């Protein structure tokens, strides 16, 4: 047993020095391999985390949101709609919401300004943008209900800001933040707290503001709100209730949570579809390069195997050597690729994918995902990369079995 | 004691290129002697040597090593016998490039899983004995022809074989180095080892220390 371990150590040592002596080739190989693992792992981390964030976000979204649509465009909603909606059979409660986007020229980012509901709990608020309203932007239906305010009271002239905003503007509690209102005046609002949230995606760009300040900033009259949330008594009645709202208020557009989910999913899947393309490309590259590896032994390698066999190595020793060679390269590549991907996705905000995968990235200039790592996916990645490569390095070695040790006696010159 | 009975070796049997390299060789090689195989190029010396050294199997005939029939053994056993019993010195040094001289010399011992510290001591001692101890950490590419050959001799000896097989060992050496080689061979004999050499170098087969010269011609042993 001891000598078996010692033997493996020898073989690993020899493998390492073998790898080192073809430095350029093997480092190139390692870099390529690491790159492929890096791309695959980044994608896995990214999609998985986005999915988790999405699930978190939608968990607390209101069942139905009603907007007013004028000429296909989202418009302010008269407050009278509320009574009409409340009277519809099957509606449990309805609440108006005030929210909107504010573009900050200084940092070139959009914030979401939201008036927290005063009457009830803070959990059932959400915002909705409708994709059709913004044909040029890749904005996604996002609802953001999960922020928490640590007991700070919002008073007139104050705001509570999300982490992303704080980071971007480099401001903190106690600082003032200027806003340019609809009539060209500057409003200086004091930051009284920052939001904490389970998910960065939820609160990053969020800015809580009082109703009074909100109306002053955007010039919205008392009788208008942005949209309304509706809670129905029986979830199965949701489509019926939505239809009734539509009938009573022809300009209203009820959006059911499941619909948001679908929109989100379809966009996400489209992105997912793009990822599949990248994924397949990476896997293809990998297969080609594994195949290249598998397809032959160079003359130098054959010669070396001949020498090893001549000096007393068995075919199985040579196979073990090649196994270690494959294992060392693929494990190194796997771990460095995964670690780099982790840093890339969770610490650096996926700069490589950002333009392609995160249409809403303009909203999240400093976007960072909460790390969610799925062991199952990592295992899959492991079996997709380490295993085939290791096998691919061993396979041509079966042919090495046909190299007779006496071939070493017939090598002439170099 | 090595005994060969009716050895035949046919290459590419059944092909138009079929070639009988050895045609019915019978031979006994005594222990603790220096035996030289000589003969014209292509007469089958190397082929015979590789059969004796368990590197390849004869097409027909039997090989006995110390009374044990070895031709029919499976590869694993042959490898085991080869690395424990035989040390090979090739016509070319056949060192592996890119790794140090020391590593090259230790290679045959790796599959045996010997303790590293002991193996190192043994390898360094062997290199010292042939005056290349100072090259132990050099890359093999930097060695001169004679140094490379001495390194390959140390490698052949690392598992302390009882039989040493050398194929044209002096082919690439000048006469000074060739004499040096014969001195090393003499020492092997003094240590009780059996030595089998192929050569067409008179410096080898006419040397006083050689116990027996066997001449081969067209795949047969001349008597
Ligand atoms: N693998 C092979 N396939 C076909 N023919 C071979 C093979 N190996 C050797 N031969 C042939 O067998 C014959 C004997 O070869 P061998 O190498 O034993 O000769 P040798 O006596 O060692 O010659 P030299 O003195 O030139 O080294 C040669 O004609 C050679 O071409
Ligand atoms: Mg020869």
């Amino acid at each position: 047993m001891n000598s078996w371990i010692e033997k493996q150590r020898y073989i690993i040592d020899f493998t390492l020095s073998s790898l080192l002596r073809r430095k350029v080739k093997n480092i190139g190989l390692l870099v390529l391999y690491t790159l492929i693992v890096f791309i695959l792992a980044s994608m896995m981390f990214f999609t998985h985390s986005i999915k988790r964030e999405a699930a978190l976000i939608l968990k607390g979204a209101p069942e139905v949101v009603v907007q007013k649509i004028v000429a296909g465009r989202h418009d302010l909603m008269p407050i009278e709609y509320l009574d009409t909606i409340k009277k519809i059979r099957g509606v449990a409660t309805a609440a108006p919401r005030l929210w909107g986007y504010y573009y900050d020229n200084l940092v070139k980012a959009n914030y979401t300004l939201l008036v927290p509901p005063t009457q009830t709990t803070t959990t059932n608020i959400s915002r909705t943008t409708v994709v059709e309203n913004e044909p040029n932007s890749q904005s996604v239906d996002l609802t953001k209900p999960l922020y928490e305010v640590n007991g700070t009271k919002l008073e007139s002239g104050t705001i509570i800001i999300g982490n992303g905003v704080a980071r971007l503007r480099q401001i903190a509690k106690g600082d003032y933040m200027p806003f340019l209102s609809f009539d060209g005046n500057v409003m200086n609002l004091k930051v009284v707290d920052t939001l904490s949230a389970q998910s960065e995606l939820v609160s990053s760009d969020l800015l809580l503001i009082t109703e009074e300040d909100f109306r002053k900033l955007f010039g919205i009259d008392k009788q208008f709100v942005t949209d309304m949330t509706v809670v129905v008594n029986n979830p199965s009645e949701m489509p019926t209730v939505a239809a009734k709202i539509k009938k009573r208020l022809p300009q209203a557009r009820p959006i059911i949570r499941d619909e948001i989910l679908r929109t989100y999913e379809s966009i996400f899947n489209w992105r997912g579809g793009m990822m599949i393309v990248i994924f397949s490309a990476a896997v293809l590259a990998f297969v080609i390069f594994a195949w290249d590896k598998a397809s032959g032994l160079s003359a130098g390698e054959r010669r070396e195997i001949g020498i090893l066999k001549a000096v007393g190595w068995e075919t199985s020793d040579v196979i073990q050597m090649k196994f270690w060679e494959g294992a060392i390269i693929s494990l190194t590549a796997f771990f460095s690729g995964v670690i780099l991907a982790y840093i890339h996705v969770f610490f650096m905000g996926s700069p490589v994918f950002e333009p392609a995968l995160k249409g809403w990235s303009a909203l999240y200039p400093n976007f960072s995902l909460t790390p969610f790592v799925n062991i199952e996916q990592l295992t899959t990645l492991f079996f997709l990369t380490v295993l085939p490569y290791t096998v691919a390095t061993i396979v041509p070695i079966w042919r090495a079995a046909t190299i007779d040790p006496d071939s070493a006696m017939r090598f002439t010159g170099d | 004691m090595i005994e060969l009975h009716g050895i035949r070796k046919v290459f590419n049997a059944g092909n138009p290129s079929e070639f009988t390299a050895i045609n019915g060789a019978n031979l006994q090689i005594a222990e603790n002697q220096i035996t030289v195989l000589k003969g014209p190029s292509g007469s089958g010396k190397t082929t015979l040597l590789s059969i004796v050294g368990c590197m390849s199997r004869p097409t027909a005939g039997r090989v006995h090593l110390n009374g044990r029939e070895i031709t029919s053994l499976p590869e694993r056993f042959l490898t085991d016998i080869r690395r424990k019993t035989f040390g090979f010195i090739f016509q070319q040094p056949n060192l592996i490039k890119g790794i140090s001289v020391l590593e090259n010399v230790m290679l045959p011992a790796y599959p045996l899983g010997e303790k590293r510290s002991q193996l190192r001591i043994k390898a360094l001692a062997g290199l010292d004995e042939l005056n290349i101890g100072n090259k132990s950490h050099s890359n093999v590419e930097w060695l001169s022809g004679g140094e490379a050959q001495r390194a390959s001799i140390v490698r052949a000896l690392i598992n302390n074989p009882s039989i040493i097989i050398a194929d044209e060992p002096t082919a690439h050496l000048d006469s000074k180095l060739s004499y040096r080689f014969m001195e090393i061979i003499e020492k092997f004999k003094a240590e009780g080892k059996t030595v089998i050499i192929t050569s067409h170098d008179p410096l080898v087969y006419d040397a006083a220390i050689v116990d027996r010269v066997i001449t081969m011609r067209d795949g047969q042993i001349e008597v």
Side-chain angles (χ1 to χ4, degrees):
Chain A
M1 193 62 205
N2 245 340
S3 73
W4 185 86
I5 292 171
E6 198 66 34
K7 174 175 165 180
Q8 296 304 313
R9 272 190 52 200
Y10 280 128
I11 294 179
I12 292 172
D13 278 2
F14 178 67
T15 308
L16 278 176
S17 51
S18 294
L19 289 174
L20 281 178
R21 83 201 130 102
R22 295 189 204 97
K23 234 176 266 160
V24 177
K25 182 188 152 224
N26 284 311
I27 288 176
L29 200 77
L30 197 65
V31 167
L32 177 66
Y33 197 161
T34 305
L35 189 74
I36 292 171
V37 174
F38 168 77
I39 292 173
L40 295 178
S42 291
M43 269 167 37
M44 280 188 172
F45 287 150
F46 190 86
T47 46
H48 184 63
S49 299
I50 288 275
K51 267 184 199 162
R52 287 287 301 264
E53 303 249 355
L56 265 179
I57 289 159
L58 288 166
K59 198 174 67 187
E63 290 165 329
V64 184
V65 170
V66 186
Q67 296 181 329
K68 183 183 172 192
I69 300 289
V70 176
R73 195 176 70 87
H74 178 199
D75 197 21
L76 292 173
M77 200 178 219
I79 194 81
E80 306 95 71
Y81 276 31
L82 190 65
D83 290 329
T84 318
I85 291 172
K86 273 183 174 166
K87 275 186 209 132
I88 291 170
R89 268 250 308 271
V91 171
T93 56
R97 295 194 309 180
L98 272 173
W99 62 270
Y101 291 133
Y102 179 87
Y103 180 70
D104 186 344
N105 213 4
L106 188 72
V107 291
K108 312 241 179 308
N110 268 306
Y111 307 140
T112 305
L113 267 59
L114 174 75
V115 175
T118 40
Q119 63 278 57
T120 50
T121 58
T122 53
T123 48
N124 263 7
I125 322 139
S126 73
R127 71 188 163 99
T128 315
T129 56
V130 182
V131 178
E132 296 94 303
N133 285 353
E134 295 166 334
N136 292 330
S137 103
Q138 292 187 322
S139 250
V140 182
D141 262 356
L142 287 180
T143 43
K144 296 192 156 190
L146 293 178
Y147 61 85
E148 287 157 28
V149 183
N150 321 318
T152 314
K153 219 172 143 241
L154 203 58
E155 289 168 345
S156 189
T158 66
I159 47 169
I160 293 170
I161 60 174
N163 295 327
V165 182
R167 217 164 27 218
L168 205 60
R169 294 287 306 237
Q170 300 185 332
I171 49 175
K173 206 165 154 173
D175 291 337
Y176 279 88
M177 194 170 161
F179 289 86
L180 201 62
S181 73
F182 76 104
D183 51 7
N185 292 325
V186 173
M187 281 173 73
N188 260 312
L189 299 176
K190 188 181 180 189
V191 177
V192 287
D193 207 349
T194 51
L195 290 168
S196 60
Q198 271 174 278
S199 157
E200 276 268 322
L201 196 58
V202 173
S203 64
S204 180
D205 74 328
L206 198 60
L207 228 144
L208 300 184
I209 186 169
T210 61
E211 178 171 352
E212 193 186 331
D213 290 336
F214 185 88
R215 293 189 186 279
K216 224 157 76 188
L217 181 64
F218 289 103
I220 296 175
D221 204 86
K222 270 256 181 279
Q223 52 212 303
F224 291 108
V225 293
T226 314
D227 55 24
M228 285 168 193
T229 59
V230 175
V231 178
V232 295
N233 289 325
N234 182 351
S236 65
E237 279 178 20
M238 240 177 317
T240 330
V241 172
K244 280 184 192 161
I245 294 173
K246 189 104 187 83
K247 210 169 151 200
R248 300 270 169 84
L249 303 163
Q251 287 191 308
R253 176 180 185 252
I255 302 160
I256 298 172
R257 179 170 63 185
D258 296 353
E259 251 171 54
I260 301 171
L261 193 72
R262 263 203 303 279
T263 315
Y264 187 89
E265 274 278 284
S266 72
I267 288 170
F268 181 75
N269 279 344
W270 172 77
R271 290 174 204 285
M274 236 180 67
M275 301 247 237
I276 291 294
V277 173
I278 302 175
F279 197 91
S280 335
V283 168
L284 192 71
F286 180 77
V287 167
I288 290 171
F289 123 87
W291 180 250
D292 175 55
K293 185 89 190 138
S295 57
L297 289 169
S298 66
E301 274 175 308
R302 293 185 67 86
R303 187 195 148 95
E304 250 177 57
I305 290 167
I307 294 172
L308 289 175
K309 287 179 98 174
V311 301
W313 284 43
E314 274 172 51
T315 303
S316 69
D317 298 330
V318 177
I319 289 170
Q320 277 173 31
M321 176 185 91
K322 285 289 160 181
F323 164 78
W324 285 117
E325 185 183 314
I328 289 167
I329 290 205
S330 53
L331 285 176
T332 311
F334 179 76
F335 285 112
S336 26
V338 166
I339 290 166
L340 285 177
Y342 191 91
I343 295 171
H344 168 234
V345 172
F346 298 124
F347 293 108
M348 292 168 53
S350 323
V352 175
F353 294 149
E354 205 165 350
L357 300 177
K358 228 164 45 188
W360 59 88
S361 63
L363 292 173
Y364 302 94
N366 237 330
F367 189 89
S368 65
L369 284 166
T370 319
F372 292 120
V373 175
N374 185 336
I375 295 299
E376 204 177 303
Q377 284 189 324
L378 277 184
T379 318
T380 312
L381 188 62
F382 184 87
F383 282 110
L384 275 176
T385 55
V386 173
L387 210 66
Y389 184 80
T390 308
V391 171
T393 37
I394 294 178
V395 166
I397 286 307
W398 292 114
R399 284 184 233 163
T402 65
I403 301 175
D404 283 324
D406 72 326
S407 63
M409 300 189 89
R410 300 193 186 276
F411 291 135
T412 51
D414 296 291
Chain B
M1 174 83 137
I2 302 165
E3 292 161 276
L4 305 182
H5 300 286
I7 299 294
R8 269 170 61 84
K9 179 74 177 179
V10 182
F11 289 113
N12 308 326
N15 285 5
S17 61
E18 179 174 307
F19 183 81
T20 307
I22 300 197
N23 199 356
N26 295 298
L27 184 65
Q28 296 199 344
I29 297 171
E31 247 168 79
N32 197 16
Q33 283 202 350
I34 300 178
T35 306
V36 174
L37 283 171
K38 70 168 194 175
S41 180
S43 55
K45 302 183 295 291
T46 300
T47 308
L48 192 69
L49 216 51
S50 78
I51 290 170
V52 169
C54 301
M55 292 245 216
S56 61
R57 290 171 200 274
T59 313
R62 278 160 296 130
V63 179
H64 289 264
L65 177 66
N66 298 330
R68 185 178 177 203
E69 212 273 306
I70 56 170
T71 21
S72 54
L73 292 177
E75 197 215 309
R76 278 199 50 202
F77 291 91
L78 278 186
T79 309
D80 200 49
I81 291 173
R82 189 162 75 233
R83 73 180 157 217
K84 286 185 177 146
T85 315
F86 295 98
F88 294 90
I89 300 164
F90 308 103
Q91 191 164 346
Q92 297 287 327
N94 277 340
L95 297 171
I96 291 182
K97 281 189 220 156
I99 59 175
S100 71
V101 172
L102 183 66
E103 267 185 287
N104 258 290
V105 163
M106 298 194 323
L107 268 183
Y110 284 179
L112 299 174
E114 202 176 333
K115 247 186 105 187
R116 179 169 295 257
S117 49
Q118 282 166 14
L119 179 57
R120 260 181 75 94
I121 291 168
K122 213 158 75 179
L124 286 170
L127 290 169
D128 274 337
E129 208 168 328
L130 296 190
N131 300 326
I132 45 168
N134 57 341
K135 300 281 180 190
S136 61
H137 293 288
S138 309
N139 268 8
V140 293
E141 290 95 315
W142 305 336
L143 298 182
S144 72
E147 286 169 341
Q149 210 219 17
R150 276 179 280 161
S152 82
I153 294 171
V154 179
R155 180 179 65 186
L157 297 175
I158 195 74
N159 287 337
N160 193 27
S162 53
I163 303 168
I164 293 175
I165 288 181
D167 192 15
E168 312 275 358
T170 60
H172 293 276
L173 302 181
D174 60 24
S175 54
K176 187 168 161 260
L177 283 171
S178 299
Y179 281 118
R180 178 87 185 90
F181 178 79
M182 292 314 286
E183 282 166 36
I184 295 167
I185 292 298
E186 196 174 357
K187 220 173 74 218
F188 292 162
K189 190 184 169 187
E191 286 166 5
K193 295 188 194 302
T194 307
V195 182
I196 308 166
I197 309 173
T198 69
S199 185
H200 16 227
D201 186 352
L203 193 146
V204 174
Y205 58 75
D206 288 342
I209 52 162
V210 172
D211 298 290
R212 187 176 171 204
V213 177
I214 294 161
T215 310
M216 288 192 71
R217 194 174 298 279
D218 298 332
Q220 286 182 321
I221 290 166
E222 284 196 342
V223 276

